[in-house]
Structures are given as C-alpha cells and as structure tokens.
Amino acid sequence: MTSPSSSVQEARKALGQRLAEIRKTAGLTKRALAQSLGWHESKASRFESGTRAPSERDLLAWCFACGAEGQAEDLISTARGIEGMYVEWRKMERHGLKWAQESVIPLWERTERFRIYSPWLIPGPVQTASYITALLTSIRDRRGLIDDVPAAVKVRVEKQQVVYGNHRFAILLEESVLRYRIGATDVMAGQLGYLLSVMALPSVSIGIIPQDADRSGLWPVEGFFLYDDELVNVELVSAHLTVVQKHELAMYAKMFGGLAELAVYGAAAREIITGAIESLG
C-alpha cells in the first residue's frame, strides 16, 4: 500500500493538473499567465507541479486571468479539502480532547458502513468507558494537553450510540490488540468482556486475525477507519490523515477485504478473546 503521507502530495498534484488544464484551455503559456498576474514564472510552475499550495487569492487570480471564473469556487473547495487532509495532533487537539472527539460526530452520524482495521488498539465504537479513560489519560499526559479527559470520555461514549442505530460495523483486530495492556488488569478484562457482548449485535461483525495466521502475502498495516466509500482516516504518530482520493480509497477497501479473509469470526473469535481474558490472570 502507498505510504499514507503521500496522499496530500498526490492531491496537490491533481489540483496542479487542473490548473494546467485551465491555463492551456485559455491558450496561455505559464510565462504569459505569470506575467499577467505579476508573478515570477516559477510560481505558476510550482502550483502546477504540486510543490507549492496555492492560496485562495492565488486560485481566484488564476481563474480570472484564464477567463474561468466559474471554476474558482470548486478549486477553492478542493484546496480547502487538501489543507484538511493532514492535520497535526497538536493542532487538532489544541482546544482539548473533547473538541477532537466532537469534531468527527457529523461524519460518524452520516456514515452507514464502517470498516475498521486496528493492529494496536480496540477501536472507539466498541471501547468501554474505563478503556477510553485510560487511553485518553495517556494521550493527555504524553502530549501535554489540557485536562478535559472526563468530558472527552463522555463525548466518546455518547458517540457510541451509532452502534445501536442504522449503521453497520465490520471490525478487524489483530490478535495482539487483545493482549496490549491499556489500563489496569480489570480495565482490560472489562474491555474484552464487552467485545464478547457487542459481537452479538446484528449490526456489528468482529473478526480476529490470529497471531499464527499465514502472513506471507498480507502483513499488518497502519490502522484505519473507512467510512462508506467517502474517506479513510489514518492515525499517524504525529498527525491525523484523511484520505479522499478515489484510487487510494479503493486500495484501502481492497486491503480490508484481504485482511478480512485472514480473520476468524463467531465461535473461533470468541475463543481467542476468552483466551486473552484468561491470560490476564
């Protein structure tokens, strides 16, 4: 799979190609366009190659010079989307963890089909309050954030109501997720026990990829949330990445399908989860 950090650059290149098409349709060379706007020619070149992000003012000027004012609004909307694709955690969480939790509520509510793969954590829709508290407390301390953990936990628990609505969840977990200790022993025991309960919901499918599965053709990848066929969210060490390019969405969907074939479900999955609970001692 393509490195997730490439998504922003590919989107910028795609925007640059659209700018080049608008310029060529207007019968202008890059030099002529730049001269008409009082720019150095290299500025236009960098926009078209995707190595520099144009401002909204730049896009308006470009369209005006090319007689394509009608395309300006769409280009600006596209540029804003690219700007929001890669958001550093320190920016996203500058108002606290509660705000970060609230920011995705509209996306959760409008999504009908969730496909979630996690190689390291129990994902948000099926976390217990105690697990959430342990997780967010660790994030708060590690990133030096304001202490609004209780409020953030409340929001995340309320978000989980989508599990009981008209939504479908297909969740894939690496077996190792069940054994990574988040919080005390009782926290993990409660979380794993809750997984056994939520598996009974008709809207939720939970698959466990056994540690002894043959991974010669498909190894673990970064964790991701695929929301319908609209977008993918990936959590990096430094940032929150949103993937919207159609060919990349198709890659994540294909990857999810391949990983799903490695997983076990039903009684076999419950047996692995029960084994993890017993290992807690």
Side-chain angles (χ1 to χ4, degrees), residues 195-259:
L195 277 186
L196 292 173
S197 299
V198 80
M199 288 173 70
L201 294 174
S203 60
V204 178
S205 167
I206 295 181
I208 308 296
I209 302 176
Q211 288 182 321
D212 59 359
D214 182 358
R215 308 303 291 263
S216 56
L218 203 60
W219 48 89
V221 296
E222 68 273 8
F224 59 87
F225 277 55
L226 177 54
Y227 299 89
D228 290 326
D229 292 311
E230 178 183 352
L231 61 84
V232 167
N233 278 161
V234 183
E235 295 188 358
L236 307 177
V237 172
S238 61
H240 182 269
L241 181 73
T242 300
V243 176
V244 295
Q245 299 273 26
K246 288 186 177 180
H247 72 279
E248 288 190 284
L249 294 178
M251 291 173 69
Y252 277 98
K254 182 178 180 180
M255 177 61 70
F256 188 89
L259 292 167

Side-chain angles (χ1 to χ4, degrees), residues 142-154:
R142 187 170 65 252
R143 296 178 184 159
L145 305 175
I146 63 173
D147 187 8
D148 65 345
V149 169
V153 171
K154 183 174 183 293

Side-chain angles (χ1 to χ4, degrees), residues 2-11 241 248:
T2 304
S3 170
S5 60
S6 70
S7 301
V8 176
Q9 187 56 37
E10 288 198 24
L241 181 73
E248 288 190 284

Side-chain angles (χ1 to χ4, degrees), residues 87-101 136 139-140 142-146 148 235 240:
V87 183
E88 290 188 10
W89 289 117
R90 63 181 178 179
K91 181 178 181 181
M92 186 172 184
E93 298 169 343
R94 66 185 182 277
H95 300 304
L97 289 164
K98 177 176 180 287
W99 183 89
Q101 295 298 317
L136 295 186
I139 292 173
R140 177 203 65 195
R142 187 170 65 252
R143 296 178 184 159
L145 305 175
I146 63 173
D148 65 345
E235 295 188 358
H240 182 269

